[in-house]
Amino acid sequence: MLDARGPGQETAAQAAAQAARLLRAGGVVAFPTETVYGLGADAGNAQAVAQVYASKGRPAFNPLISHVPDSAAAERLGVFSPAAQALAAAFWPGPLTLVVPYHDTGAVCDLARAGLPTIALRVPAHETTLAMLRAAGVPVVGPSANLSGHVSPTDAAHVRADLDGRIDAILDAGPTTVGVESTIVDCTGAHPALLRPGGLSRGAIAAVLGVALPDAGHDDAERPAAPGRLASHYAPHAPVRLDAREVKAGEALLTFAGARPPGAEAAVAIFDLSPSGDLVEAAARLYGALRHLDGLRPEGIAVVPLPRDGLGEAIADRLGRAAAPRPLSFEDD
């Protein structure tokens, strides 16, 4: 464990520098962002990237986001349209990933891009990780630092629970603040389109573009165009039941704004994402809530109807994927 939470900047800087040395040496290091913890490796080192896939048990056709310290580094790797440049200027550092045509410098291996002619890029809003990226001097892949299909980690303890003994180090900077993954926007065509809702709202992006942000078309089920596009993803072991109007015997309850549907009094456990009805708080607590309830081994998790405006769209997306039918490999976890 590399502890970046000690008093003063020196400790955080030392931890970030040590993480960077491990990355340059081909290691795999979990690192914090404002969204969730990522599982980092040098994006140009195919062997290290393969170790990321192996550590997660992640399908090799699912492309990875490359994290860089600033827009200049991103533009050395991708071809940015005027729209992509405008979004980067408005929201980086921040919870926004842009998919752009790849400018083949050899800095990001084919495995990290799943063989696609595009690249997913992000500048995270986390000072410790930005220090790590600057010190590493290479783009760093960073899928969520959990076993593939499991709930994404928002604290170093979550990473340790899934990946202890599988990776070289965890850069611990405490809990994340946003709590859901980055929003992914496809900027490869004439008009940007939403690939995945996340920590930045569709409305905020549309306001910068000056036009509505439509959804992207459906992916090839065997070869998604961006991370987080598999139908079953972010899944606990217990089956998740959405828009629940009652709680069935043996279920735990995931609720919002104090809602208590019939049967709640007999629930295995109740977790309110935000008693005050704050979607920002709900997003930040979502994965921790799923992990907590799943750890109680209920027969299922009932989820009350949730708002879908703003960050509610990203929360609904994650819960929908958690509730989707899973491939056998997930069910056998």
Side-chain angles (χ1 to χ4, degrees):
M1 185 78 73
L2 303 175
D3 192 351
R5 299 172 300 158
Q9 294 300 311
E10 187 177 354
T11 300
Q14 289 172 339
Q18 177 61 18
R21 285 192 288 271
L22 289 169
L23 291 169
R24 288 198 304 271
V28 175
V29 178
F31 63 92
T33 74
E34 77 279 25
T35 57
V36 300
Y37 271 70
L39 190 56
D42 176 354
N45 184 331
Q47 183 172 343
V49 173
Q51 185 57 48
V52 168
Y53 284 121
S55 298
K56 285 179 63 68
R58 185 184 180 101
F61 50 77
N62 205 0
L64 304 178
I65 296 170
S66 291
H67 295 72
V68 293
D70 51 46
S71 293
E75 292 196 29
R76 288 194 289 271
L77 298 172
V79 180
F80 278 61
S81 66
Q85 290 175 331
L87 293 176
F91 299 117
W92 279 354
L96 173 67
T97 294
L98 299 177
V99 177
V100 297
Y102 178 51
H103 179 57
D104 193 354
T105 62
V108 178
C109 66
D110 284 344
L111 183 60
R113 294 179 291 105
L116 298 172
T118 57
I119 185 168
L121 293 163
R122 182 160 97 87
V123 179
H126 195 290
E127 285 304 317
T128 300
T129 289
L130 289 175
M132 180 194 77
L133 292 170
R134 287 190 290 267
V138 294
V140 173
V141 297
S144 56
N146 54 278
L147 293 174
S148 188
H150 285 195
V151 178
S152 296
T154 54
D155 190 274
H158 300 159
V159 180
R160 191 164 50 247
D162 263 15
L163 299 178
D164 190 32
R166 290 172 169 257
I167 62 177
D168 295 297
I170 302 170
L171 180 59
D172 182 3
T176 65
T177 55
V178 175
V180 293
E181 289 85 357
S182 61
T183 302
I184 303 180
V185 175
D186 182 358
C187 292
T188 60
H191 303 288
L194 185 67
L195 281 166
R196 181 183 76 182
L200 181 65
S201 73
R202 186 195 302 257
I205 296 168
V208 169
L209 295 174
V211 294
L213 181 68
D215 289 330
H218 293 294
D219 282 336
D220 180 337
E222 297 300 319
R223 200 179 189 197
R229 297 273 286 173
L230 293 174
S232 177
H233 205 26
Y234 318 110
H237 291 283
V240 175
R241 187 167 61 89
L242 302 180
D243 296 323
R245 307 288 177 175
E246 78 291 327
V247 181
K248 298 178 181 179
E251 287 186 324
L253 174 64
L254 185 63
T255 190
F256 179 75
R260 295 293 187 273
E265 66 281 355
V268 171
I270 299 174
F271 195 111
D272 196 326
L273 289 172
S274 175
S276 67
D278 183 346
L279 286 172
V280 174
E281 180 184 26
R285 300 180 72 192
L286 175 62
Y287 288 135
L290 286 172
R291 282 181 175 272
H292 170 71
L293 294 178
D294 197 42
L296 301 175
R297 296 292 186 260
E299 293 182 17
I301 300 174
V303 183
V304 301
L306 294 165
R308 290 178 178 255
D309 55 307
L311 280 178
E313 182 178 22
I315 295 169
D317 174 82
R318 299 307 185 276
L319 287 170
R321 294 176 192 275
R326 277 164 257 176
L328 289 177
S329 60
F330 288 172
E331 303 218 303
D332 290 342
D333 281 344

